[in-house]
Amino acid sequence: MASSSKKTRGKQKIEIKIIENEDDRLISFSKRRFGIYKKISELSTLCGCEILFIIFSPKGKPYSFAHPSIEAVTKRFLNPNQPLYETTDALVEAYRK
């Protein structure tokens, strides 16, 4: 028989505002950072796009995610008329086959 008293609050909708407790804020940042990396990776894979994502932690430490590479994406950003790189084209072609 199931116990009626829960030990955790489970998954709940939270109000979007700054988290006052610094330790809780760092933990939330860490968990959500991995979640957004996963979504960015999925977007890159599904759409065959080039992505560069940079985020700074509450302590000021930078984190980045790039596909195919930071250098390739920044070169393309600085020259938008440049054709897609072979790594992205190869990924799209492999998916089509």
Side-chain angles (χ1 to χ4, degrees):
M1 193 167 177
S3 174
S4 62
S5 62
K6 289 186 174 184
K7 294 183 180 179
T8 63
R9 295 188 311 174
K11 187 174 180 179
Q12 295 182 344
K13 189 170 184 172
I14 61 165
E15 183 181 349
I16 302 299
K17 64 178 185 174
I18 191 151
I19 300 170
E20 298 299 327
N21 184 311
E22 188 174 352
D23 290 338
D24 291 347
R25 189 178 322 135
L26 292 172
I27 290 168
S28 181
F29 172 81
S30 179
K31 288 180 179 180
R32 289 175 181 260
R33 180 173 50 96
F34 286 117
I36 201 164
Y37 280 177
K38 182 177 178 184
K39 291 292 184 185
I40 293 169
S41 177
E42 290 171 358
L43 178 65
S44 174
T45 301
L46 292 172
C47 301
C49 57
E50 297 175 345
I51 295 177
L52 174 59
F53 177 78
I54 301 171
I55 188 169
F56 291 88
S57 74
K59 294 283 190 179
K61 184 175 179 183
Y63 294 91
S64 65
F65 177 93
H67 177 78
S69 70
I70 292 175
E71 294 81 15
V73 178
T74 52
K75 283 180 187 175
R76 183 153 166 83
F77 180 76
L78 295 173
N79 186 5
N81 299 326
Q82 188 174 354
L84 291 174
Y85 286 89
E86 291 115 18
T87 55
T88 305
D89 290 338
L91 181 65
V92 172
E93 287 303 317
Y95 175 74
R96 287 183 184 155
K97 291 179 183 177

